[in-house]
Amino acid sequence: MAATPAPPTAPPKPTWAPKSAEPPFPWLRPTIRIRLTLLYGGMFMIAGILLLSIIYLLAAQALHAGSAPFKIVGGQGIALSSSSCQLPASGTFQEINDAIGVCMAQQRQHALDNLLSRSLLALVGLSVIAFAFGYAMAGRVLSPLGRITRTARRVAGTDLTRRIELDGPDDELKELSDTFDEMLDRLERAFTAQQRFVANASHELRTPLAINRTLLEVHLSDPGAPVELQQLGKTLLATNERSEQLVEGLLLLARSDNEIVDRKPVDLAEVASRALDQARNEAEAKGVEIRGERSPAVVQGNGVLLERIALNLVQNAVRYNIPEDGWVEVVTELKDGHATLLVTNTGPVVPAYEIDNIFEPFRRLRTERTGSDKGVGLGLSIARSVARAHGGRIIAEPREGGGLVMRVTLPV
């Protein structure tokens, strides 16, 4: 018997990764608040420099250079003394007057230098105060924008019930807030109508499908039915079962898009174990080994929906596996304040560019939208919706050698 060829090498892992919540140096970000602070402080410094220049020029003009306003023209026994200038103890009247003029020029220059240095120190101190005051005022003015941003982030987490409801003066920011609230109202109505339509349609389809299943089972239970009719009945029953799974998936998908309000403690290890029990027979029939350690990881959420995440991931891992020596590893753990459900499996090589497509409804890996016996194409879409409704996320990565690594992260 020829040896089974080794599976082809998987393409390199994608280089993308979720962005960090905050940059390494948030104070270096060119935010509007920083820019307004620099604008306010820069304008104050420019105005201060102009004012200081004008005062300096006016002071220099008032203390104009020139000869002393007085001179010695006569007298006897004249004695001169100064603590800041060197004046001759004796000499002619001209020499004494020249010395007095030089001394006054030195004192004038000293006064101007002193005025300039003190003014610069005052300007620096006032600039620091101006920057701090501008930063505080910019934060106060931009606080409505921060409120709008926080609401938008909550809405991004599928919570469309949030509203800004900004109070205060009827300015541009309040107009922006009201417009955003109106947009959220329309979005909420649209999403609610869509979910209601899917739910109603799914409920309406349940009844005829249940009737079809009952009729087919009754005909199949007749021992006198021809073999061809029994084979046709089995085919129709399998098709009907597939349609029921599709309806149930659509109903669950519509319900799981909402945020979970009624939350209870749920252990992911227990949820994963129940999912494995349900998929064990199928795994044994396909020759797939199930392994992995499941540590306690308690989260707040809906146990039924979380079990559906685990079941969908495990079933996909079993069904999309290799024919021989395949395995599925299920691990639960607590790490960095989050509970993690990790499902890894062997299988065909998955290109990195197809990772995002597998989460879309009715999409399957390199197959048509219909015609597959491995499911209805809603499993991963439901898993992603349930994870989002619990405030978590699900990430898929290609595994080296083939298969996928599915990581579900939920807040504790």
Side-chain angles (χ1 to χ4, degrees):
M1 181 176 178
T4 304
T9 305
K13 291 185 178 182
T15 56
W16 50 264
K19 294 183 178 179
S20 57
E22 292 185 356
F25 303 99
W27 53 274
L28 290 178
R29 288 178 56 210
T31 60
I32 297 180
R33 185 174 187 181
I34 295 297
R35 285 183 285 177
L36 286 178
T37 302
L38 294 177
L39 177 63
Y40 297 155
M43 292 180 63
F44 176 83
M45 289 190 66
I46 292 174
I49 292 174
L50 290 176
L51 180 60
L52 178 59
S53 301
I54 292 174
I55 292 177
Y56 184 84
L57 293 176
L58 292 177
Q61 185 178 4
L63 299 174
H64 60 279
S67 59
F70 61 90
K71 64 173 60 177
I72 299 175
V73 296
Q76 296 180 352
I78 298 175
L80 300 176
S81 177
S82 175
S83 60
S84 58
C85 297
Q86 294 182 357
L87 297 177
S90 61
T92 63
F93 293 152
Q94 184 63 35
E95 292 175 349
I96 294 176
N97 289 331
D98 292 341
I100 292 175
V102 172
C103 180
M104 294 188 64
Q106 292 177 353
Q107 293 299 313
R108 180 172 55 250
Q109 188 62 40
H110 178 71
L112 291 176
D113 293 342
N114 192 25
L115 172 65
L116 181 61
S117 61
R118 292 176 181 270
S119 299
L120 287 176
L121 289 176
L123 178 62
V124 171
L126 291 177
S127 297
V128 173
I129 297 176
F131 275 104
F133 183 75
Y135 187 80
M137 290 303 298
R140 184 175 181 84
V141 171
L142 295 175
S143 58
L145 285 180
R147 185 172 174 181
I148 294 174
T149 303
R150 290 189 295 271
T151 303
R153 287 176 178 171
R154 296 190 185 101
V155 171
T158 68
D159 185 9
L160 292 175
T161 61
R162 299 280 183 174
R163 296 296 181 271
I164 301 174
E165 298 178 351
L166 185 66
D167 52 3
D170 190 11
D171 53 7
E172 291 82 359
L173 291 178
K174 191 174 189 306
E175 183 180 359
L176 174 62
S177 171
D178 294 340
T179 303
F180 192 77
D181 285 342
E182 293 176 3
M183 181 187 68
L184 290 180
D185 288 334
R186 296 185 62 184
L187 285 176
E188 184 181 15
R189 288 195 298 269
F191 276 98
T192 302
Q194 180 188 20
Q195 293 170 358
R196 188 184 301 116
F197 171 77
V198 174
N200 292 337
S202 301
H203 280 297
E204 291 296 328
L205 289 173
R206 275 178 165 178
T207 301
L209 289 175
I211 293 175
N212 290 341
R213 185 180 70 252
T214 302
L215 293 176
L216 290 171
E217 289 175 349
V218 169
H219 283 290
L220 289 175
S221 63
D222 185 7
V227 177
E228 294 81 1
L229 184 60
Q230 288 186 354
Q231 184 63 34
L232 177 61
K234 291 179 180 179
T235 303
L236 293 176
L237 187 62
T239 304
N240 192 85
E241 182 180 359
R242 177 184 174 82
S243 299
E244 287 181 326
Q245 292 177 359
L246 175 60
V247 171
E248 292 292 337
L250 288 173
L251 183 60
L252 181 60
L253 183 61
R255 186 170 68 248
S256 62
D257 278 335
N258 297 324
E259 184 179 7
I260 306 301
V261 178
D262 186 15
R263 296 172 178 260
K264 297 180 180 179
V266 180
D267 190 354
L268 287 185
E270 182 181 356
V271 166
S273 298
R274 289 201 299 263
L276 290 176
D277 291 339
Q278 298 180 53
R280 195 174 301 277
N281 292 335
E282 184 177 0
E284 292 177 354
K286 290 182 174 292
V288 176
E289 177 190 359
I290 295 179
R291 64 192 189 189
E293 297 182 0
R294 288 167 291 282
S295 304
V298 180
V299 299
Q300 298 293 324
N302 185 290
V304 176
L305 295 180
L306 292 176
E307 183 178 342
R308 179 56 66 97
I309 289 183
L311 180 60
N312 288 351
L313 295 182
V314 172
Q315 286 180 342
N316 277 359
V318 171
R319 293 170 182 175
Y320 295 91
N321 218 302
I322 56 179
E324 297 181 3
D325 298 329
W327 51 265
V328 175
E329 185 178 58
V330 181
V331 177
T332 59
E333 60 180 355
L334 284 176
K335 187 177 181 181
D336 298 332
H338 291 82
T340 302
L341 169 63
L342 191 66
V343 179
T344 309
N345 68 290
T346 53
V349 175
V350 182
Y353 57 82
E354 291 192 9
I355 289 297
D356 292 335
N357 294 334
I358 64 177
F359 288 99
E360 297 299 326
F362 307 108
R363 295 294 293 269
R364 300 180 186 89
L365 184 63
R366 292 176 289 184
T367 61
E368 300 294 335
R369 286 178 173 265
T370 59
S372 172
D373 60 348
K374 297 179 180 179
V376 297
L378 289 174
L380 293 182
S381 300
I382 294 174
R384 182 176 62 178
S385 297
V386 173
R388 287 178 176 176
H390 284 79
R393 62 180 181 175
I394 179 172
I395 299 176
E397 296 178 357
R399 175 184 167 273
E400 294 184 2
L404 286 174
V405 178
M406 308 294 294
R407 185 185 304 274
V408 180
T409 305
L410 300 173
V412 177

